[in-house]
Every structure is written in structure tokens, then in C-alpha cells.
């Protein structure tokens, strides 16, 4: 039985496809980038926290880190006066209010427990800040010129 033209054409296409596939496999075997050695895959972290490919020097003494020296959050600005100036923006009959800090215009919570004198809205004050579970709060609040 004789083969038709389309059957012969399809057979030739399949053979050509198999040959291309075998050629690609051979090419991949010779140009393989996989299978790097363990040393090529190793990465180290230096004393500054940077990733490097050179191992640490065992002769170099290790720097001891004290847990209490680690500060989380923004670092405090050195030489800054802990006393801040501001104006009482709001003060409630219930014993709490807000002071607008003069330099940053940040509103800071204040409570009567942290006051040395009685406050009213518009009073100019000096104060220190302390971190509470809800954010910053003003402590040691004193009127300016009182």
C-alpha cells in the first residue's frame, strides 16, 4: 500500500522534531550551568550584615554585642534638650488634653496625673515626653512664665 503525500509529510515532520529535540538535549549536556559545587553556592554574612562569598576569618576576634545596647525604632538625637516647648491645644474637664509641640507641630497627649500646675487651652508650656502603650505622652508639664 502506498503512502499518501500528507502521511509522508507528517512522518518527516515528526522525524525532524525528534532530531531537533535530541540535538537540544546534547547541547544542554555540554553547556550545563547546573551542578555547581558546594563552595560556589556558599554565602556568608560579614560583621556588618552584608552577604559576601568570602568566609569569615577565624583568627579575627568576634565583636561581643550587648542586648541592652540595641535600640529599636528611631535613634534619639544626641545633644537635644529633653524639655520641649508647646501650647495647650485642647484640655477637657475630664482631665486630659493635647499639647501642640512648638518645633514639630506634633500633638502630644497629656493627663492631669502628669501635670505640676493646672492647665487651660492656649497656655504655653514646657514638658518632656515619654512613650506609653498608645504613643507619646507629655510628662513633667510646667507653664512657661508661671
Amino acid at each position: 500500500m502506498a503512502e499518501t503525500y500528507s502521511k509522508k509529510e507528517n512522518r518527516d515532520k515528526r522525524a525532524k522534531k525528534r532530531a531537533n529535540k535530541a540535538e537540544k538535549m546534547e547541547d544542554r549536556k555540554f553547556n550545563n550551568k547546573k551542578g555547581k559545587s558546594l563552595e560556589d553556592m556558599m554565602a556568608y554574612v560579614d560583621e556588618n550584615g552584608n552577604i559576601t562569598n568570602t568566609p569569615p576569618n577565624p583568627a579575627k576576634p568576634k565583636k561581643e554585642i550587648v542586648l541592652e545596647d540595641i535600640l529599636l525604632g528611631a535613634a534619639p538625637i544626641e545633644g537635644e534638650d529633653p524639655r520641649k516647648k508647646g501650647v495647650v491645644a485642647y484640655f477637657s474637664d475630664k482631665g486630659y488634653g493635647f499639647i501642640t509641640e512648638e518645633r514639630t507641630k506634633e500633638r502630644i497627649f497629656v493627663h492631669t496625673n502628669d501635670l505640676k500646675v493646672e492647665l487651660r487651652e492656649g497656655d504655653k508650656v514646657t514638658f518632656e515626653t515619654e512613650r506609653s502603650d498608645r504613643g507619646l505622652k507629655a510628662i513633667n508639664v510646667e507653664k512657661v512664665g508661671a
Side-chain angles (χ1 to χ4, degrees), residues 3-46:
E3 265 185 307
T4 62
Y5 179 75
S6 62
K7 284 185 179 181
K8 186 177 180 184
E9 195 175 76
N10 287 340
R11 181 175 39 95
D12 289 344
K13 281 183 184 177
R14 283 193 300 268
K16 190 174 180 182
K17 203 174 192 180
R18 269 190 239 117
N20 281 343
K21 190 174 183 179
E23 188 179 314
K24 285 180 184 177
M25 270 180 41
E26 287 295 317
D27 189 42
R28 274 189 240 125
K29 281 182 184 177
F30 291 114
N31 298 325
N32 190 359
K33 302 280 189 235
K34 291 183 181 177
K36 293 181 182 177
S37 70
L38 182 62
E39 289 301 316
D40 293 338
M41 292 188 289
M42 293 296 287
Y44 304 94
V45 178
D46 66 4

Side-chain angles (χ1 to χ4, degrees), residues 103-114:
R103 192 172 49 85
T104 63
K105 305 297 182 212
E106 184 179 7
R107 288 178 57 129
I108 299 168
F109 179 79
V110 63
H111 194 271
T112 49
N113 295 347
D114 303 311

Side-chain angles (χ1 to χ4, degrees), residues 87-141:
V87 177
V88 178
Y90 171 79
F91 202 80
S92 169
D93 303 344
K94 297 179 183 176
Y96 68 91
F98 294 94
I99 297 172
T100 303
E101 208 252 313
E102 190 177 87
R103 192 172 49 85
T104 63
K105 305 297 182 212
E106 184 179 7
R107 288 178 57 129
I108 299 168
F109 179 79
V110 63
H111 194 271
T112 49
N113 295 347
D114 303 311
L115 299 177
K116 294 187 177 183
V117 292
E118 210 171 294
L119 291 181
R120 287 190 217 134
E121 289 181 21
D123 286 346
K124 293 187 178 194
V125 293
T126 61
F127 60 96
E128 296 175 20
T129 57
E130 178 181 86
R131 183 145 315 271
S132 70
D133 57 341
R134 294 187 177 183
L136 286 179
K137 73 174 188 174
I139 59 170
N140 301 328
V141 181

Side-chain angles (χ1 to χ4, degrees), residues 25-93:
M25 270 180 41
E26 287 295 317
D27 189 42
R28 274 189 240 125
K29 281 182 184 177
F30 291 114
N31 298 325
N32 190 359
K33 302 280 189 235
K34 291 183 181 177
K36 293 181 182 177
S37 70
L38 182 62
E39 289 301 316
D40 293 338
M41 292 188 289
M42 293 296 287
Y44 304 94
V45 178
D46 66 4
E47 63 272 1
N48 300 320
N50 300 320
I51 297 175
T52 179
N53 59 356
T54 57
N57 185 355
K60 187 175 178 182
K62 293 182 180 170
K63 186 167 72 171
E64 290 293 321
I65 298 173
V66 180
L67 228 53
E68 288 77 28
D69 292 344
I70 298 173
L71 297 175
L72 299 178
I77 299 170
E78 296 297 323
E80 183 182 347
D81 185 19
R83 301 265 329 148
K84 300 176 192 287
K85 294 179 183 177
V87 177
V88 178
Y90 171 79
F91 202 80
S92 169
D93 303 344

